[in-house]
């Protein structure tokens, strides 16, 4: 028998065994690097002072809210600001609505709220109004501008604000009552914790929202200048949105 052939055949089981051993070592090493499993919910709730924990979560939510979100109790202030801004720009405000957006694409953690304004006045005053939007604390950007020209034009402007998407918390109390009845009193704390989670998500997205608003503001200022001059001089209509930019219709 060929000795070389026999040595080749006998080496395969050895190589296979080494591969299994190496794979086992890698699996064990990987398991050791995994974070420890958290204790059961009941154990975590047992060790909590609900009053102290609730105060801590409330403070954390307040710290995460920088004022750049348009909360429901900020809507009246935003409406008043838009009214005053239109007056400062010497435009007449015909109508103003502020509602949750029906057309914005779904964005995780963000709940869009749109202000829709109808304005009339000198088209050259419209850029003053649009630039003034940045003076609000709540982050916002123009979504669309539509209008017809002439010395006195009419314009419809849509402005978008954001707030954290409300978390679903209606299941928490029922789940605790079913699985951890001795900790049913912790439902308020867990609901607050869910709100803290969405606020931290908004806080993470906030810098991107501010940067995007600045980019859109620069685009609007640059792209609407020439069309506004043309429609003021010769009439006609114009439109602007983020996707298509400025165009005359």
């Amino acid at each position: 028998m060929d000795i070389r052939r026999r040595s080749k055949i006998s080496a395969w089981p050895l190589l296979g065994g080494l591969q299994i051993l190496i794979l086992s070592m890698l699996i064990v090493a990987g398991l050791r690097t995994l974070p420890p499993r958290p204790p059961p919910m009941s154990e975590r709730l047992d060790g909590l002072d609900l009053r102290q924990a609730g105060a801590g979560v409330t403070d954390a939510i307040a710290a995460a809210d920088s004022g750049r979100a348009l909360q429901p109790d900020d809507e009246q202030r935003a409406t008043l600001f838009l009214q005053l801004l239109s007056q400062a720009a010497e435009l007449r405000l015909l109508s103003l609505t502020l509602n949750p957006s029906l057309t914005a694409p779904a964005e995780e953690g963000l709940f869009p709220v749109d202000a829709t304004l109808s304005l009339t006045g000198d088209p050259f005053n419209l850029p003053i109004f649009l630039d003034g939007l940045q003076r609000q604390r709540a982050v916002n950007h123009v979504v669309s501008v539509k209008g017809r020209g002439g010395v006195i034009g009419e314009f419809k402007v849509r402005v978008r604000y954001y707030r954290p998407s409300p978390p679903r918390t209606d299941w928490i109390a029922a789940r605790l009552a079913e699985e951890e009845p001795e900790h049913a009193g912790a439902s308020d704390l867990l609901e607050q914790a869910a709100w803290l989670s969405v606020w931290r998500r908004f806080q993470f997205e906030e810098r991107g929202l501010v940067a995007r608003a600045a980019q859109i503001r620069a685009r609007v200022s640059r792209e609407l200048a020439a069309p506004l001059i043309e429609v003021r001089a010769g009439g006609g209509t114009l439109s602007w949105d983020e996707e298509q930019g400025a165009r005359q219709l």
Side-chain angles (χ1 to χ4, degrees), residues 41-43 45-47 50 176 180-187 190:
M41 177 63 72
S42 58
E43 291 184 19
L45 292 176
D46 282 338
L50 295 182
L176 279 177
E180 304 286 344
E182 66 276 18
H183 296 112
S187 61
L190 296 180

Side-chain angles (χ1 to χ4, degrees), residues 75 97-104 111-116 158 160-161 163:
E75 292 182 0
T97 59
L98 189 63
N99 294 306
S101 173
L102 301 177
T103 60
F111 186 81
V113 181
D114 284 359
T116 304
R158 190 148 55 99
R160 180 158 297 158
Y161 301 85
R163 66 174 63 129

